[in-house]
Amino acid sequence: MRVLSNIAGRAGALVDRAGGSWLSRTSGNGEVRGQELAILRRLALASSAALVVVPTGLSFITSPAVALPVGVATVCAGFLFSAVGSIALSRLRPASLPVEAVVVEHRDLMLEAACGLVLLFDPQGSVTAVGGRDRAEFLSWMRDPSGRGFVEQVHVSDRILFLQAVDMLRQGSEALGVDLRLERSAVLEGNDQFVHIRMEMSARRDSEGRLTGIVSQSRDISYDQQLREQAARKAAEAESANDAKSRFLAAVSHELRTPLNAILGFSDILSGEYFGKLENNRQREYVGLIRQSGAHLLSVVNTMLDMSKIEAGRYELLLEPFPIEASIGTCEAMLALQAKEKGLTLTSRVQRGLGDIVADQRAIQQILINLVGNAIKFTDAGGAVTIDAAMTDGMLKLSVSDTGIGIATERLASLGQPFVQIQNDYTRRYAGTGLGLSLVKGLVALHGGSFAIASAPGEGTVITILIPFDGSGAVTVQQPVDVNRTVDFPPRLKHNLEMSEKRKEEEVNGPAKAKIA
């Protein structure tokens, strides 16, 4: 046995020397891989056994003189083909690495190729490794983040956010993000003291689910933060400007209403000739124009005041049951003469048995007057204006349709915005402030309803509003009024007391009524 073992050892050494010499010449770089030597050893061992078995088997078929050379040649050829093929396949197949080596290779790849700044934390929040494609840019203004160095650079107010994030990962969360501010190591001119970063954190756990580390990827969001701050600042400025505009409109409206009421009252007295006859018809005409212009201006002022109250959330609805037929009839009575003067037909259709609606009657009448007034204004002679009222799925459906000039499709979206009209200042043929539809939309929204408009140039317009029939959608005042405080509305001017005394004297001498168109 010892002799056979020595022979086998010497044969193996001979195979290693011969195979190593051959492999070093064929590898291209002079290196010999242990895997390839192992293949040659196994093939040499198998061929040694085949040198005995193959010729013996062939001797049963043919003569020994033929079987011996043919068998040896067959075994040698098989050895050469097997050796070349096996070694070629082993060189094409990539060498397998241990699992630990693969993990290390992937981690190094992540630390080098991942965008931003990549930090590896231990379960206590200390940095164990630093990487990332942009780490040079981050480290140019940061101090060394290793260990507790990163936490010490975090803004004091944001450290609790970072520690809470680490604690949440420790308790079972797999990933989360947090926005932090990092202090610059040196503040240069034009740079802020702190840099805003977005840190995405992922947990690494062992087989038992315990936290073994944290992988974080950070990117600079300072520019995004500046955009957010600018947007917030502009939104605040716009809101402040809108509030200032609403306060201005409310103040101006209050200041204008008192003298306008006086103008209307005195013009009524003059036109009624309570204190003497006017000398000629021209004087009467001028007094009527004063009354008409004052009424129009007061209507505009009241609309502006209502709009400012709606925008400020101070418009209070007085909900009460009333028949919608009465409001439609009032609207028709007020605008019938105007429609007749333009040669229009004004009609209404109300569903039978409609019953009483719960809403603010004054607001509903204002909606109808504005919609019908617009329809009359934009409809030429010979046209028709129709008011429809019906019940649809618990909603009151009010429709005002006309056969007027219509509205282009691209302009429909701009309707309902304050001070916006269909035509521009140079081409429009119709007077107005552009507040009518805006007021209608605001009043409908306060009732919890919806507003829709359909129109086409030359084919007329149909405006439809839906309002909850039982008043369930009405919006309450945002800021309740203190009932214990006495407030004059509208606010009294300094000379208001004198005006009141004059009106009392005028009422004694004769009735003076100011009608608002």
Side-chain angles (χ1 to χ4, degrees):
M1 292 296 293
R2 180 176 300 176
V3 174
L4 292 176
S5 177
N6 290 335
I7 294 173
R10 291 176 181 176
L14 180 61
V15 171
D16 289 346
R17 286 196 301 271
S21 178
W22 176 62
L23 291 174
S24 64
R25 291 194 301 270
T26 59
S27 63
N29 54 8
E31 296 181 357
V32 179
R33 297 171 58 182
Q35 183 181 7
E36 295 175 356
L37 286 176
I39 293 174
L40 290 178
R41 291 194 198 101
R42 289 194 295 270
L43 291 177
L45 180 60
S47 299
S48 300
L51 286 174
V52 177
V53 175
V54 172
T56 304
L58 290 176
S59 64
F60 292 102
I61 301 174
T62 183
S63 62
V66 177
L68 181 60
V70 172
V72 173
T74 301
V75 172
C76 291
F79 171 77
L80 291 176
F81 278 113
S82 300
V84 172
S86 300
I87 293 173
L89 290 176
S90 67
R91 290 181 177 178
L92 291 176
R93 188 184 305 118
S96 59
L97 298 176
V99 177
E100 295 80 3
V102 173
V103 173
V104 172
E105 182 179 355
H106 287 177
R107 187 187 69 180
D108 293 341
L109 178 62
M110 180 196 67
L111 288 176
E112 293 296 329
C115 64
L117 176 67
V118 178
L119 300 177
L120 301 184
F121 295 91
D122 62 15
Q124 287 71 40
S126 298
V127 176
T128 59
V130 181
R133 187 182 62 194
D134 304 322
R135 65 180 180 275
E137 180 181 350
F138 278 84
L139 296 178
S140 64
W141 53 265
M142 288 179 61
R143 297 189 295 272
D144 184 10
S146 301
R148 303 297 294 178
F150 176 80
V151 180
E152 295 174 354
Q153 299 179 67
V154 178
H155 191 282
V156 176
S157 301
D158 295 343
R159 292 181 185 178
I160 184 65
L161 300 177
F162 174 75
L163 295 177
Q164 286 177 346
V166 173
D167 186 61
M168 292 176 64
L169 293 173
R170 190 182 297 115
Q171 293 179 5
S173 298
E174 293 300 327
L176 51 86
V178 61
D179 292 340
L180 303 174
R181 288 169 291 177
L182 297 183
E183 185 179 8
R184 293 180 183 271
S185 58
V187 181
L188 302 178
E189 184 177 358
N191 292 330
D192 295 332
Q193 181 180 2
F194 293 94
V195 177
H196 295 263
I197 67 168
R198 174 69 177 177
M199 175 178 288
E200 300 292 342
M201 309 173 69
S202 302
R204 298 176 61 189
R205 305 185 185 279
D206 57 15
S207 58
E208 297 181 359
R210 291 190 298 265
L211 183 68
T212 60
I214 300 172
V215 180
S216 74
Q217 187 174 7
S218 304
R219 61 184 182 89
D220 190 344
I221 61 170
S222 298
Y223 181 70
D224 297 341
Q225 183 65 25
Q226 291 178 2
L227 294 180
R228 286 195 292 266
E229 292 175 354
Q230 290 178 3
R233 182 170 61 254
K234 291 180 179 179
E237 292 174 355
E239 184 177 356
S240 177
N242 187 59
D243 292 342
K245 181 263 299 180
S246 299
R247 291 193 299 269
F248 171 76
L249 290 178
V252 170
S253 301
H254 284 309
E255 293 297 326
L256 290 176
R257 289 178 70 181
T258 298
L260 281 174
N261 283 324
I263 292 173
L264 292 175
F266 288 131
S267 63
D268 281 340
I269 293 174
L270 292 175
S271 62
E273 300 181 355
Y274 297 110
F275 298 104
K277 295 288 186 178
L278 297 177
E279 294 182 359
N280 52 59
N281 291 332
R282 178 167 294 183
Q283 291 179 345
R284 295 185 182 89
E285 180 184 359
Y286 289 168
V287 170
L289 292 175
I290 293 173
R291 173 67 174 79
Q292 182 180 358
S293 300
H296 175 71
L297 184 56
L298 183 59
S299 176
V300 173
V301 169
N302 287 333
T303 302
M304 292 171 59
L305 181 60
D306 288 340
M307 281 299 306
S308 63
K309 290 169 63 179
I310 290 175
E311 291 180 353
R314 302 284 300 179
Y315 194 102
E316 185 175 3
L317 296 178
L318 180 59
L319 301 181
E320 57 181 347
F322 64 92
I324 191 63
E325 297 94 331
S327 296
I328 295 176
T330 301
C331 176
E332 287 184 289
M334 293 180 62
L335 299 175
L337 180 59
Q338 182 180 349
K340 183 178 180 181
E341 290 177 349
K342 286 198 67 175
L344 304 178
T345 302
L346 177 60
T347 59
S348 63
R349 296 176 295 189
V350 181
Q351 179 181 336
R352 292 183 180 180
L354 197 57
D356 292 348
I357 180 178
V358 179
D360 188 316
Q361 186 173 7
R362 172 182 172 272
I364 297 298
Q365 288 181 352
Q366 187 71 42
I367 291 172
L368 289 171
I369 291 172
N370 285 350
L371 293 181
V372 176
N374 277 346
I376 293 174
K377 181 168 62 174
F378 295 106
T379 303
D380 296 330
V385 177
T386 305
I387 308 172
D388 294 307
M391 180 80 165
T392 304
D393 298 329
M395 306 286 285
L396 173 66
K397 180 180 179 180
L398 287 175
S399 299
V400 177
S401 58
D402 62 65
T403 58
I405 62 175
I407 308 167
T409 304
E410 62 271 13
R411 302 302 302 273
L412 291 178
S414 62
L415 286 179
Q417 299 179 10
F419 305 105
V420 172
Q421 289 188 306
I422 300 174
Q423 297 171 312
N424 59 41
D425 295 336
Y426 298 100
T427 62
R428 70 184 188 185
R429 296 182 291 120
Y430 305 95
T433 59
L435 287 174
L437 284 182
S438 180
L439 178 61
V440 169
K441 292 183 69 174
L443 294 175
V444 171
L446 287 178
H447 282 84
S450 60
F451 174 96
I453 181 170
S455 182
E459 299 181 5
T461 303
V462 178
I463 296 180
T464 304
I465 63 173
L466 295 174
I467 295 177
F469 201 84
D470 56 358
S472 58
V475 178
T476 58
V477 177
Q478 297 177 1
Q479 298 178 356
V481 179
D482 186 3
V483 296
N484 297 322
R485 179 185 175 189
T486 303
V487 179
D488 292 330
F489 185 81
R492 296 178 181 271
L493 300 178
K494 294 181 179 178
H495 63 280
N496 190 258
L497 182 59
E498 299 177 359
M499 298 294 297
S500 298
E501 292 176 354
K502 290 181 180 180
R503 289 175 183 170
K504 289 180 180 179
E505 294 176 0
E506 294 167 357
E507 291 175 357
V508 173
N509 296 326
K513 298 182 180 179
K515 300 179 181 179
I516 302 176

mmCIF file of all heavy atoms in Angstrom, residues 93-113:
data_model
loop_
_atom_site.group_PDB
_atom_site.id
_atom_site.type_symbol
_atom_site.label_atom_id
_atom_site.label_comp_id
_atom_site.label_asym_id
_atom_site.label_seq_id
_atom_site.Cartn_x
_atom_site.Cartn_y
_atom_site.Cartn_z
ATOM 1 N N ARG A 93 -16.650 30.762 -17.317
ATOM 2 C CA ARG A 93 -17.512 30.941 -16.159
ATOM 3 C C ARG A 93 -16.830 31.861 -15.155
ATOM 4 O O ARG A 93 -15.698 31.613 -14.774
ATOM 5 C CB ARG A 93 -17.816 29.585 -15.515
ATOM 6 C CG ARG A 93 -18.876 29.659 -14.407
ATOM 7 C CD ARG A 93 -19.057 28.302 -13.756
ATOM 8 N NE ARG A 93 -19.379 27.280 -14.742
ATOM 9 C CZ ARG A 93 -18.620 26.228 -14.991
ATOM 10 N NH1 ARG A 93 -17.468 26.068 -14.343
ATOM 11 N NH2 ARG A 93 -18.971 25.338 -15.903
ATOM 12 N N PRO A 94 -17.510 32.958 -14.710
ATOM 13 C CA PRO A 94 -16.880 33.854 -13.736
ATOM 14 C C PRO A 94 -16.623 33.140 -12.427
ATOM 15 O O PRO A 94 -17.392 32.285 -11.994
ATOM 16 C CB PRO A 94 -17.906 34.990 -13.563
ATOM 17 C CG PRO A 94 -19.209 34.393 -13.973
ATOM 18 C CD PRO A 94 -18.881 33.388 -15.036
ATOM 19 N N ALA A 95 -15.536 33.512 -11.834
ATOM 20 C CA ALA A 95 -15.179 32.892 -10.552
ATOM 21 C C ALA A 95 -16.158 33.323 -9.477
ATOM 22 O O ALA A 95 -16.486 34.488 -9.345
ATOM 23 C CB ALA A 95 -13.759 33.300 -10.170
ATOM 24 N N SER A 96 -16.644 32.357 -8.737
ATOM 25 C CA SER A 96 -17.598 32.655 -7.669
ATOM 26 C C SER A 96 -16.864 33.185 -6.446
ATOM 27 O O SER A 96 -15.777 32.732 -6.104
ATOM 28 C CB SER A 96 -18.375 31.385 -7.299
ATOM 29 O OG SER A 96 -17.485 30.372 -6.879
ATOM 30 N N LEU A 97 -17.507 34.190 -5.828
ATOM 31 C CA LEU A 97 -16.936 34.792 -4.626
ATOM 32 C C LEU A 97 -17.711 34.342 -3.399
ATOM 33 O O LEU A 97 -18.896 34.016 -3.485
ATOM 34 C CB LEU A 97 -16.996 36.325 -4.729
ATOM 35 C CG LEU A 97 -16.198 36.951 -5.885
ATOM 36 C CD1 LEU A 97 -16.453 38.440 -5.904
ATOM 37 C CD2 LEU A 97 -14.720 36.646 -5.734
ATOM 38 N N PRO A 98 -17.103 34.327 -2.280
ATOM 39 C CA PRO A 98 -17.835 34.031 -1.052
ATOM 40 C C PRO A 98 -18.923 35.064 -0.807
ATOM 41 O O PRO A 98 -18.859 36.188 -1.305
ATOM 42 C CB PRO A 98 -16.736 34.104 0.029
ATOM 43 C CG PRO A 98 -15.452 33.939 -0.717
ATOM 44 C CD PRO A 98 -15.667 34.511 -2.065
ATOM 45 N N VAL A 99 -19.922 34.653 -0.058
ATOM 46 C CA VAL A 99 -21.046 35.564 0.221
ATOM 47 C C VAL A 99 -20.567 36.838 0.885
ATOM 48 O O VAL A 99 -21.004 37.941 0.566
ATOM 49 C CB VAL A 99 -22.078 34.833 1.117
ATOM 50 C CG1 VAL A 99 -23.214 35.789 1.484
ATOM 51 C CG2 VAL A 99 -22.635 33.614 0.403
ATOM 52 N N GLU A 100 -19.620 36.725 1.816
ATOM 53 C CA GLU A 100 -19.127 37.917 2.496
ATOM 54 C C GLU A 100 -18.460 38.872 1.512
ATOM 55 O O GLU A 100 -18.618 40.095 1.590
ATOM 56 C CB GLU A 100 -18.143 37.526 3.605
ATOM 57 C CG GLU A 100 -18.777 36.726 4.747
ATOM 58 C CD GLU A 100 -18.955 35.257 4.396
ATOM 59 O OE1 GLU A 100 -18.532 34.854 3.292
ATOM 60 O OE2 GLU A 100 -19.544 34.522 5.212
ATOM 61 N N ALA A 101 -17.707 38.289 0.543
ATOM 62 C CA ALA A 101 -17.041 39.143 -0.439
ATOM 63 C C ALA A 101 -18.051 39.853 -1.321
ATOM 64 O O ALA A 101 -17.873 41.018 -1.690
ATOM 65 C CB ALA A 101 -16.085 38.309 -1.294
ATOM 66 N N VAL A 102 -19.143 39.168 -1.692
ATOM 67 C CA VAL A 102 -20.181 39.800 -2.510
ATOM 68 C C VAL A 102 -20.834 40.945 -1.754
ATOM 69 O O VAL A 102 -21.079 42.024 -2.299
ATOM 70 C CB VAL A 102 -21.224 38.750 -2.935
ATOM 71 C CG1 VAL A 102 -22.387 39.428 -3.637
ATOM 72 C CG2 VAL A 102 -20.595 37.710 -3.833
ATOM 73 N N VAL A 103 -21.142 40.749 -0.477
ATOM 74 C CA VAL A 103 -21.759 41.798 0.325
ATOM 75 C C VAL A 103 -20.853 43.014 0.422
ATOM 76 O O VAL A 103 -21.282 44.160 0.260
ATOM 77 C CB VAL A 103 -22.110 41.261 1.729
ATOM 78 C CG1 VAL A 103 -22.586 42.393 2.624
ATOM 79 C CG2 VAL A 103 -23.176 40.184 1.621
ATOM 80 N N VAL A 104 -19.569 42.750 0.657
ATOM 81 C CA VAL A 104 -18.619 43.858 0.759
ATOM 82 C C VAL A 104 -18.513 44.595 -0.568
ATOM 83 O O VAL A 104 -18.473 45.820 -0.619
ATOM 84 C CB VAL A 104 -17.235 43.332 1.216
ATOM 85 C CG1 VAL A 104 -16.207 44.442 1.141
ATOM 86 C CG2 VAL A 104 -17.334 42.784 2.634
ATOM 87 N N GLU A 105 -18.511 43.820 -1.679
ATOM 88 C CA GLU A 105 -18.406 44.456 -2.991
ATOM 89 C C GLU A 105 -19.627 45.333 -3.263
ATOM 90 O O GLU A 105 -19.500 46.461 -3.743
ATOM 91 C CB GLU A 105 -18.280 43.383 -4.065
ATOM 92 C CG GLU A 105 -18.109 43.967 -5.472
ATOM 93 C CD GLU A 105 -17.962 42.880 -6.509
ATOM 94 O OE1 GLU A 105 -17.894 41.697 -6.112
ATOM 95 O OE2 GLU A 105 -17.925 43.219 -7.700
ATOM 96 N N HIS A 106 -20.830 44.847 -2.952
ATOM 97 C CA HIS A 106 -22.042 45.632 -3.170
ATOM 98 C C HIS A 106 -22.072 46.867 -2.279
ATOM 99 O O HIS A 106 -22.503 47.941 -2.706
ATOM 100 C CB HIS A 106 -23.273 44.763 -2.903
ATOM 101 C CG HIS A 106 -23.512 43.747 -3.977
ATOM 102 N ND1 HIS A 106 -24.523 42.819 -3.922
ATOM 103 C CD2 HIS A 106 -22.852 43.513 -5.139
ATOM 104 C CE1 HIS A 106 -24.483 42.060 -5.005
ATOM 105 N NE2 HIS A 106 -23.469 42.457 -5.748
ATOM 106 N N ARG A 107 -21.631 46.735 -1.052
ATOM 107 C CA ARG A 107 -21.613 47.887 -0.155
ATOM 108 C C ARG A 107 -20.639 48.944 -0.653
ATOM 109 O O ARG A 107 -20.958 50.136 -0.670
ATOM 110 C CB ARG A 107 -21.224 47.445 1.268
ATOM 111 C CG ARG A 107 -21.349 48.569 2.295
ATOM 112 C CD ARG A 107 -20.801 48.146 3.627
ATOM 113 N NE ARG A 107 -19.348 47.991 3.564
ATOM 114 C CZ ARG A 107 -18.593 47.621 4.597
ATOM 115 N NH1 ARG A 107 -19.153 47.329 5.756
ATOM 116 N NH2 ARG A 107 -17.281 47.509 4.454
ATOM 117 N N ASP A 108 -19.491 48.513 -1.108
ATOM 118 C CA ASP A 108 -18.521 49.479 -1.645
ATOM 119 C C ASP A 108 -19.065 50.166 -2.890
ATOM 120 O O ASP A 108 -18.860 51.364 -3.097
ATOM 121 C CB ASP A 108 -17.204 48.769 -1.965
ATOM 122 C CG ASP A 108 -16.511 48.263 -0.703
ATOM 123 O OD1 ASP A 108 -16.851 48.775 0.392
ATOM 124 O OD2 ASP A 108 -15.656 47.366 -0.818
ATOM 125 N N LEU A 109 -19.781 49.382 -3.729
ATOM 126 C CA LEU A 109 -20.377 49.973 -4.920
ATOM 127 C C LEU A 109 -21.404 51.025 -4.551
ATOM 128 O O LEU A 109 -21.467 52.100 -5.159
ATOM 129 C CB LEU A 109 -21.012 48.882 -5.781
ATOM 130 C CG LEU A 109 -21.726 49.352 -7.063
ATOM 131 C CD1 LEU A 109 -20.733 50.023 -8.000
ATOM 132 C CD2 LEU A 109 -22.409 48.181 -7.739
ATOM 133 N N MET A 110 -22.222 50.756 -3.539
ATOM 134 C CA MET A 110 -23.224 51.727 -3.097
ATOM 135 C C MET A 110 -22.560 52.978 -2.545
ATOM 136 O O MET A 110 -22.964 54.105 -2.840
ATOM 137 C CB MET A 110 -24.120 51.095 -2.030
ATOM 138 C CG MET A 110 -25.210 52.035 -1.497
ATOM 139 S SD MET A 110 -25.930 51.447 0.028
ATOM 140 C CE MET A 110 -24.525 51.606 1.147
ATOM 141 N N LEU A 111 -21.510 52.774 -1.748
ATOM 142 C CA LEU A 111 -20.838 53.926 -1.162
ATOM 143 C C LEU A 111 -20.172 54.791 -2.226
ATOM 144 O O LEU A 111 -20.027 55.997 -2.047
ATOM 145 C CB LEU A 111 -19.795 53.454 -0.145
ATOM 146 C CG LEU A 111 -20.341 52.878 1.164
ATOM 147 C CD1 LEU A 111 -19.209 52.360 2.026
ATOM 148 C CD2 LEU A 111 -21.153 53.906 1.926
ATOM 149 N N GLU A 112 -19.778 54.189 -3.328
ATOM 150 C CA GLU A 112 -19.088 54.952 -4.362
ATOM 151 C C GLU A 112 -20.043 55.545 -5.388
ATOM 152 O O GLU A 112 -19.843 56.662 -5.848
ATOM 153 C CB GLU A 112 -18.067 54.048 -5.073
ATOM 154 C CG GLU A 112 -16.909 53.605 -4.181
ATOM 155 C CD GLU A 112 -16.056 54.776 -3.724
ATOM 156 O OE1 GLU A 112 -15.951 55.758 -4.474
ATOM 157 O OE2 GLU A 112 -15.498 54.711 -2.616
ATOM 158 N N ALA A 113 -21.084 54.804 -5.792
ATOM 159 C CA ALA A 113 -21.895 55.201 -6.947
ATOM 160 C C ALA A 113 -23.203 55.875 -6.575
ATOM 161 O O ALA A 113 -23.786 56.570 -7.408
ATOM 162 C CB ALA A 113 -22.195 53.971 -7.811
#
